[in-house]
Amino acid sequence: MNKNSSNIMALTPNTSNKRETVCIFGTGDFGRALGHKMIQSGYPVVYGSRSTQISNLIPKDAEVLSHAEAAQKAAIIIIAIQRQHYNFLIPLAEILHGKVLVDISNNLKLNQYPESNAEYLAQLLPGSRVVKAFNTVSAWALQSGTLDASRQVFVCGDDVEAKQMVMNIVRALGLTPLDKGSLLAAQEIENYPLQLFPMWKFPIFLSLGLTAFFFFYCLALDVIYTYIYEKKNFSFFIAITIPNRVCPVMALILLALVYLPGIFAAIIQLYRGTKYRRFPDWLDKWMLCRKQLGLIALAFASLHVVFSLVSPMRAFVSWRTGKGIISQALNNKTEPLNNTNAWISDSYLALGILGFFLFVLLGITSLPSVSNNVNWREFRFVQSKLGYLALILCTAHTLVYGGKWFLSPSAYKWYLPNIYMLSLVVPCAVLVVKFVLIFPCVDRPLTQIRQGWERNPKHSE
Ligand code: NAP
């Protein structure tokens, strides 16, 4: 093999690769965890602390000095101290002049202060080069090495060179820096760890509310009604029967709710004759959490599959089957196979299996690792075309199973419709309107609007 000189150079160990000393102010939880990780990655670490006494908790090989002495030993100083104590840095302004100060602090509340902690630090020490980083990584994750979920480190700062120096450290620690721009982005970065599932709030509350409603609806009709009018105690329905009614209903309604905002958006655009006006806030928010609604729907559909698979193991089911066999034996008559019923039950199962398969496919393609590997058109095809197909199959699955209830008077206990009928309202409405929207006379103007055409340009903002 012909090796050229540059290859040989690349294989030669680089003796000048020695890492620069990093100073960390504060020997608290985060300062120690970060120092430990840095030493592991080959960085000499020196701590600046109020007490220079070495404790067992401080990583071996690290030096502990006063703040002023430690700062003189490094060009980069990580401030692992809460914002309320930043005043102690003012007397060190001269020593910290020109140094890169890394602000890693977080707050207790969203937008706790008028300016971000990093901007506050920059105001206190105008001669230093402040960079925001590491605040989204927890001390525990750094120490235990379980950084898989938070490998990304947001970095921002006004000094490009200082930011690069910090990003190099981030990379050397095996993490991924994400440049968020100037120090103005610090507020957003500081708010990030304080957010609690922002995109999940609406889908979770909606699901909890609907689940509670349908659960009590079934409880009233299947348990309480039967107890009052038929004197039968079916309270055990609470464990499997009712959840197995609520789960498919929830899965179907939530799947329809994934596609309903798109229908509203299309109607609004057609009505306004332009795409250049903002949707109402509620619609924007709804559109942003469609993925979460879909994933919760998938969770309900999976529960429905599990509940259905365990059904034959239930005492109630074996009792009912045994009762049927004994009554046939007592009457000395075998019931003939009802072909219509066999067709209905097989088609219902087949539709459910296909619907669930597409449901899972939608869930898988919404994972970032998968969606990053398909182009926009492929993603749209799966999420829109196959998504609608999943909705059609799941709606048909419910219709075939519950359709017979529509005409049966016994289904209207207390004059209330059966839960299957309720579950079909939103999906059927979505499918009917979608069907209208794909008619060429409606689809053509809608496509034009989405390509930038305006019916009445002077009305657009
Ligand atoms: P901590 O355990 O309370 O440590 C804070 C350190 O600050 C103390 O150990 C002390 O170090 C120093 N300090 C306290 N009062 C001081 C004062 N009046 N003057 C000067 N120094 C003082 O807190 P921490 O959990 O390490 O958090 C430190 C910073 O990291 C916070 O801003 C936090 O928001 C941020 N952060 C923490 C985590 C985490 O998982 N813990 C994650 C991301 C960001 P000395 O005794 O050595 O002086």
Side-chain angles (χ1 to χ4, degrees):
M1 205 163 72
N2 181 22
K3 280 183 189 165
N4 63 28
S5 58
S6 66
N7 281 344
I8 294 164
M9 288 280 287
L11 292 171
T12 316
N14 185 355
T15 44
S16 67
N17 242 354
K18 196 172 171 301
R19 308 248 194 231
E20 274 195 43
T21 301
V22 175
C23 169
I24 300 177
F25 276 5
T27 55
D29 293 339
F30 197 78
R32 291 197 310 271
L34 192 60
H36 181 74
K37 185 90 184 153
M38 287 192 160
I39 290 171
Q40 275 182 345
S41 308
Y43 285 96
V45 170
V46 53
Y47 282 100
S49 172
R50 292 167 302 170
S51 154
T52 51
Q53 262 185 337
I54 294 272
S55 95
N56 285 345
L57 294 171
I58 292 175
K60 263 200 307 167
D61 303 328
E63 253 186 297
V64 184
L65 304 171
S66 69
H67 293 115
E69 286 170 326
Q72 274 159 352
K73 293 206 165 199
I76 298 182
I77 298 156
I78 293 167
I79 314 291
I81 290 167
Q82 278 89 356
R83 166 187 170 134
Q84 58 268 34
H85 305 310
Y86 281 2
N87 275 339
F88 89 96
L89 294 165
I90 297 172
L92 301 171
E94 210 175 303
I95 300 170
L96 298 177
H97 190 89
K99 307 247 177 197
V100 178
L101 302 189
V102 186
D103 182 295
I104 53 129
S105 63
N106 282 320
N107 293 320
L108 297 175
K109 282 192 283 183
L110 285 170
N111 302 318
Q112 190 172 348
Y113 299 101
E115 73 291 280
S116 66
N117 298 347
E119 287 168 301
Y120 173 64
L121 183 63
Q123 283 164 20
L124 284 182
L125 302 163
S128 304
R129 302 143 83 194
V130 175
V131 175
K132 180 90 206 173
F134 289 115
N135 68 308
T136 52
V137 181
S138 80
W140 177 82
L142 274 173
Q143 195 109 41
S144 60
T146 48
L147 275 161
D148 285 349
S150 52
R151 211 163 266 283
Q152 257 180 2
V153 174
F154 300 119
V155 182
C156 73
D158 293 336
D159 187 310
V160 176
E161 195 197 359
K163 205 160 53 173
Q164 275 308 327
M165 287 162 77
V166 176
M167 300 217 291
N168 287 343
I169 296 184
V170 172
R171 276 188 214 101
L173 300 189
L175 306 171
T176 314
L178 197 80
D179 189 346
K180 296 288 275 182
S182 77
L183 217 51
L184 284 175
Q187 186 103 4
E188 190 190 322
I189 299 179
E190 285 170 15
N191 282 339
Y192 185 79
L194 295 170
Q195 287 171 347
L196 190 66
F197 302 122
M199 289 294 152
W200 285 90
K201 257 187 205 149
F202 169 68
I204 287 176
F205 283 130
L206 180 75
S207 314
L208 286 177
L210 284 177
T211 307
F213 169 75
F214 285 122
F215 182 85
F216 288 113
Y217 194 87
C218 288
L219 188 74
L221 297 193
D222 297 332
V223 178
I224 300 173
Y225 182 95
T226 323
Y227 186 74
I228 294 174
Y229 293 101
E230 296 169 24
K231 298 281 174 272
K232 286 181 187 159
N233 180 2
F234 281 163
S235 54
F236 62 89
F237 272 16
I238 289 171
I240 289 188
T241 306
I242 294 181
N244 200 22
R245 279 183 193 161
V246 173
C247 285
V249 165
M250 286 301 298
L252 186 60
I253 292 179
L254 291 180
L255 184 62
L257 290 181
V258 171
Y259 293 98
L260 189 55
I263 299 272
F264 282 139
I267 294 172
I268 290 175
Q269 285 178 334
L270 275 171
Y271 174 74
R272 289 175 174 171
T274 176
K275 70 166 185 178
Y276 296 115
R277 274 170 67 188
R278 279 202 55 196
F279 291 129
D281 266 2
W282 58 268
L283 188 55
D284 268 341
K285 285 187 188 142
W286 190 352
M287 300 245 246
L288 284 175
C289 61
R290 283 180 293 179
K291 174 176 156 180
Q292 288 73 9
L293 280 170
L295 287 174
I296 298 178
L298 174 59
F300 276 112
S302 311
L303 278 175
H304 172 47
V305 170
V306 177
F307 277 129
S308 304
L309 287 176
V310 300
S311 213
M313 295 179 206
R314 299 173 60 205
F316 175 64
V317 174
S318 27
W319 168 79
R320 211 171 45 184
T321 316
K323 201 174 133 201
I325 295 167
I326 290 167
S327 89
Q328 287 187 42
L330 287 176
N331 293 334
N332 200 15
K333 195 172 132 215
T334 313
E335 298 231 340
L337 175 70
N338 183 330
N339 239 314
T340 316
N341 277 352
W343 258 110
I344 289 177
S345 102
D346 281 10
S347 340
Y348 146 72
L349 288 172
L351 287 165
I353 292 166
L354 288 174
F356 183 65
F357 171 75
L358 288 181
F359 226 133
V360 172
L361 200 68
L362 290 175
I364 292 173
T365 47
S366 73
L367 298 174
S369 53
V370 180
S371 56
N372 288 347
N373 284 309
V374 291
N375 67 29
W376 176 235
R377 192 142 184 239
E378 289 161 346
F379 183 75
R380 283 276 315 260
F381 174 79
V382 175
Q383 293 295 323
S384 175
K385 303 279 186 304
L386 294 189
Y388 267 108
L389 188 56
L391 184 61
I392 292 171
L393 289 171
C394 294
T395 307
H397 168 71
T398 314
L399 259 174
V400 173
Y401 179 75
K404 57 183 182 233
W405 299 104
F406 281 105
L407 298 175
S408 157
S410 67
Y412 294 88
K413 296 172 184 168
W414 280 325
Y415 302 104
L416 291 172
N418 199 290
I419 187 172
Y420 303 108
M421 301 179 204
L422 292 185
S423 75
L424 286 165
V425 176
V426 186
C428 287
V430 168
L431 290 175
V432 169
V433 182
K434 179 68 186 174
F435 184 67
V436 174
L437 287 175
I438 56 173
F439 269 89
C441 58
V442 184
D443 183 54
R444 209 173 304 120
L446 185 61
T447 311
Q448 282 177 334
I449 288 168
R450 287 181 173 167
Q451 285 169 351
W453 174 82
E454 288 184 280
R455 191 186 309 131
N456 200 351
K458 70 175 188 283
H459 282 158
S460 60
E461 286 166 355

